[in-house]
Amino acid sequence: MGFRNHVKMMCWSRALLSSCALLLIVLQSCLDAVPISIDKTKVKEPEQQPEEPPANVDTGLHYDRYLREVIDFLEKDQHFREKLHNTDMEDIKQGKLAKELDFVSHHVRTKLDELKRQEVNRLRTLIKAKQDIEGGNDIAVDHQALLKQFEYLNHMNPHTFEVEDLDRLIKSATKDLENYDKERHEEFKRYEMMKEHDRREHLKTLNDEERKKEEEHYEEMRKKHADHPKVNHPGSENQLKEVWEEADGLDPEDFDPKTFFNLHDTNGDGFFDEQELEALFTKELEKIYDPTNEEDDMVEMEEERLRMREHVMNEVDTNKDRLVSMGEFLVATKKKEFLEPDSWETLEQNQAYTDAEMREFEEHLAQQEQDLNQRAVDLQKQRTELERQQEQLNAQKIELQQAVEHMERLKSQKVDGLPEVHVEGNDISHVQAADNPLHVEQEAQLPGHQDQLPPGSPQAHRVQHEEHQQNIPQQTHQEIPAVQPEVGQEHPHQP
């Protein structure tokens, strides 16, 4: 089997796992392509024309875009494209195809170098974003150490795409896709447990009467969902004949495995990939699930589709390349399991989780809730502290504004208090004297300065008065004689 088909399958098969509408479109295109003649046993096989897959689907891997872009550019090189068609899967897994990278054109190698640099930058951005979310902004990031977890590229050489990079990419994609179904099952199990947890929590909010009614309604919906037509065993003769009749419009008595394979190999590459296999189960799923019914969960329908596809792959895909060749398909139609299959147990007959897993899940949820509550308390404390600091800053800002305004008022009052005086010539000395009388008095006390004072001025009178006081003898209060009233004159205080 060619690597091209394998890689294309990896790149195109995943996105339609959850899209019933697209699968119905595939079936409709198959129906339109079937030429129905009067003799239904002689169906003319349509001309095989490879179809390009949709460009927007992916494998579900976090490096899907990088994987698809590398493959697309490698297929543009003629030498490498020829090697793809002539190399089997085992050689690819052993790294023999990766060595052909040395012979691709310079233009392709340059573009691959650019793609790798972009991918490394993307990973570094993701690492930085994760660190920011976890609150480690002040911690230095060792990108080289963290890039080791991404095994699909050589992080020690972030600049050029080499043989080792292609080898790593092929091996990582193969391994990751093999684990993809397991991860899908785990995700579905968590979904089912969360749904049950929410139901139980809702019952706690009800009174006894309401709880009884809710439980009765729940049991009624379960019984209604389980009441559906018999589901054929996936990949069995009965199941394929039903598709042959209802989807292809052919007589089930004329069923031919080879013709059936060619009708449903929609891309004409000679293999059933996972997408084409899952399209075969649509009729069976419609027996169980209806999107208009309250009791039917479409998430469970996609899980059922995945279970059916896995079962057929395990039974038919003998070389485990995740593809079913026509040879493998024809061999499977001759087995007893194909002709006389066991009954198929649907999801409602197989609970996705155990009671122990449910208890562990609820304990984990309780711990998460406790951690979130503690985190909320811590955040509230931080908020309160920030608000207090903000209030302090606002108070300081107000005080600063008041201080500035006070300084401005003082400055304005000082400027407004100065008189506007216009002087000329010798009048300056008189103005200064009027403004500072104390200074004038001090100058008047200097020897010879009295003669310079203008006669009759207040300063001259003050100087004369002070000189007169200095000439009066100093006497104590006891030495001053009492004033006696004259004869015949009454004392002012006598009656």
Side-chain angles (χ1 to χ4, degrees):
M1 189 212 71
F3 173 70
R4 178 176 182 175
N5 292 326
H6 178 76
V7 174
K8 286 293 184 182
M9 176 276 298
M10 292 191 299
C11 295
W12 305 332
S13 62
R14 295 295 178 183
L16 297 184
L17 290 174
S18 59
S19 177
C20 299
L22 290 179
L23 290 171
L24 290 173
I25 292 173
V26 171
L27 287 176
Q28 183 64 39
S29 64
C30 295
L31 212 165
D32 293 341
V34 177
I36 303 176
S37 61
I38 297 176
D39 186 1
K40 297 180 180 180
T41 62
K42 299 179 180 179
V43 179
K44 182 180 178 180
E45 297 180 3
E47 183 180 354
Q48 303 294 333
Q49 294 182 353
E51 299 177 1
E52 288 298 324
N56 60 339
V57 299
D58 58 51
T59 61
L61 304 176
H62 69 88
Y63 53 91
D64 171 78
R65 180 177 178 178
Y66 175 65
L67 173 65
R68 287 187 291 111
E69 289 179 342
V70 168
I71 293 173
D72 289 342
F73 272 96
L74 285 173
E75 288 191 334
K76 292 179 180 179
D77 184 84
Q78 182 178 358
H79 171 80
F80 198 87
R81 185 168 59 250
E82 292 175 354
K83 291 295 181 180
L84 286 178
H85 290 284
N86 298 325
T87 307
D88 58 31
M89 193 60 201
E90 289 303 319
D91 290 341
I92 292 173
K93 290 181 178 180
Q94 293 175 8
K96 293 182 179 180
L97 180 65
K99 297 178 181 179
E100 299 296 329
L101 183 67
D102 292 332
F103 302 100
V104 302
S105 65
H106 175 72
H107 169 71
V108 173
R109 289 297 297 268
T110 302
K111 185 60 180 179
L112 292 176
D113 293 344
E114 180 182 347
L115 291 176
K116 182 179 179 180
R117 288 192 293 268
Q118 292 174 356
E119 182 68 7
V120 171
N121 289 335
R122 183 184 74 88
L123 295 177
R124 287 174 173 169
T125 302
L126 290 176
I127 292 172
K128 181 63 169 61
K130 182 180 179 181
Q131 182 195 28
D132 292 343
I133 293 174
E134 294 176 350
N137 296 329
D138 299 332
I139 302 176
V141 180
D142 186 355
H143 286 93
Q144 289 296 336
L146 293 175
L147 284 172
K148 290 181 180 179
Q149 62 185 303
F150 304 108
E151 299 178 353
Y152 62 92
L153 50 74
N154 179 16
H155 63 90
M156 298 303 296
N157 174 19
H159 305 293
T160 58
F161 189 94
E162 304 296 340
V163 173
E164 182 181 357
D165 292 293
L166 182 56
D167 186 47
R168 282 172 173 258
L169 185 59
I170 293 172
K171 292 180 179 178
S172 295
T174 302
K175 181 183 69 174
D176 293 342
L177 286 173
E178 289 174 351
N179 295 330
Y180 183 78
D181 289 342
K182 182 179 179 181
E183 294 174 359
R184 280 283 306 275
H185 287 307
E186 290 298 320
E187 181 181 349
F188 175 74
K189 182 188 294 185
R190 289 191 294 270
Y191 169 81
E192 288 289 285
M193 289 190 292
M194 179 58 75
K195 188 167 68 170
E196 175 63 16
H197 171 76
D198 291 341
R199 188 185 74 84
R200 294 178 182 181
E201 292 298 312
H202 174 64
L203 291 176
K204 293 178 182 179
T205 64
L206 306 178
N207 57 39
D208 293 341
E209 183 178 355
E210 292 173 338
R211 188 180 302 110
K212 182 179 179 180
K213 290 182 179 180
E214 186 68 23
E215 290 284 11
E216 291 175 351
H217 177 71
Y218 174 73
E219 290 299 326
E220 180 184 354
M221 291 297 100
R222 288 186 59 183
K223 292 179 180 179
K224 187 176 180 181
H225 173 70
D227 184 16
H228 55 72
K230 178 184 177 182
V231 178
N232 292 314
H233 197 94
S236 66
E237 182 181 34
N238 292 335
Q239 190 259 315
L240 298 184
K241 279 186 176 181
E242 193 169 289
V243 176
W244 175 275
E245 179 181 9
E246 297 187 15
D248 302 334
L250 301 175
D251 190 340
E253 298 298 327
D254 300 330
F255 176 76
D256 177 64
K258 185 176 181 180
T259 303
F260 181 91
F261 186 93
N262 290 328
L263 287 174
H264 294 277
D265 177 19
T266 55
N267 62 1
D269 63 355
F271 296 91
F272 275 165
D273 59 28
E274 294 178 348
Q275 172 189 339
E276 291 167 332
L277 274 179
E278 291 176 358
L280 300 178
F281 310 136
T282 301
K283 288 296 180 182
E284 299 302 318
L285 294 171
E286 289 176 350
K287 297 176 182 178
I288 314 172
Y289 299 95
D290 185 344
T292 62
N293 292 339
E294 176 187 356
E295 68 274 11
D296 296 337
D297 189 335
M298 295 299 104
V299 175
E300 293 179 354
M301 183 186 74
E302 293 307 318
E303 175 66 13
E304 191 75 76
R305 189 193 304 274
L306 177 60
R307 291 177 67 240
M308 291 179 173
R309 188 256 297 165
E310 282 184 328
H311 173 74
V312 173
M313 278 291 189
N314 291 333
E315 294 291 327
V316 182
D317 180 23
T318 56
N319 64 355
K320 305 304 178 184
D321 62 356
R322 303 178 71 87
L323 293 173
V324 175
S325 66
M326 178 178 284
E328 291 172 327
F329 180 76
L330 295 178
V331 169
T333 59
K334 295 179 174 61
K335 293 181 179 180
K336 180 181 178 181
E337 292 81 3
F338 178 78
L339 302 174
E340 300 176 5
D342 297 330
S343 60
W344 177 254
E345 294 184 352
T346 55
L347 276 176
E348 70 266 9
Q349 299 170 290
N350 293 273
Q351 186 170 273
Y353 53 86
T354 64
D355 294 339
E357 288 174 331
M358 187 65 195
R359 286 193 299 270
E360 183 180 355
F361 179 76
E362 290 192 320
E363 291 173 359
H364 178 68
L365 288 180
Q367 184 62 44
Q368 280 187 328
E369 183 177 2
Q370 182 179 351
D371 294 342
L372 289 174
N373 291 336
Q374 183 61 45
R375 179 63 175 166
V377 171
D378 295 340
L379 290 175
Q380 183 60 39
K381 291 180 179 179
Q382 294 178 10
R383 178 180 178 180
T384 303
E385 177 63 20
L386 289 174
E387 289 176 349
R388 186 187 64 80
Q389 294 178 4
Q390 184 64 44
E391 290 177 357
Q392 290 181 347
L393 291 175
N394 292 337
Q396 293 175 0
K397 182 179 179 181
I398 292 174
E399 291 178 359
L400 180 61
Q401 290 177 345
Q402 292 175 347
V404 171
E405 292 174 358
H406 180 67
M407 294 297 294
E408 292 292 335
R409 285 195 301 269
L410 291 178
K411 183 178 179 181
S412 176
Q413 292 173 0
K414 183 176 180 181
V415 173
D416 294 341
L418 294 177
E420 296 183 1
V421 180
H422 301 281
V423 298
E424 295 181 2
N426 296 330
D427 294 339
I428 294 178
S429 60
H430 298 291
V431 173
Q432 293 176 345
D435 291 341
N436 195 351
L438 179 60
H439 179 68
V440 173
E441 293 176 2
Q442 293 174 350
E443 289 183 351
Q445 295 174 4
L446 297 176
H449 185 70
Q450 293 86 343
D451 299 337
Q452 299 177 4
L453 295 175
S457 65
Q459 290 81 4
H461 285 294
R462 189 179 298 110
V463 172
Q464 292 175 0
H465 177 72
E466 291 177 356
E467 291 176 349
H468 174 72
Q469 291 295 332
Q470 293 175 358
N471 295 330
I472 297 175
Q474 300 295 323
Q475 295 178 331
T476 64
H477 179 68
Q478 291 79 4
E479 294 176 347
I480 299 176
V483 179
Q484 300 293 330
E486 296 179 1
V487 179
Q489 184 177 4
E490 295 179 354
H491 194 279
H493 295 285
Q494 287 182 349

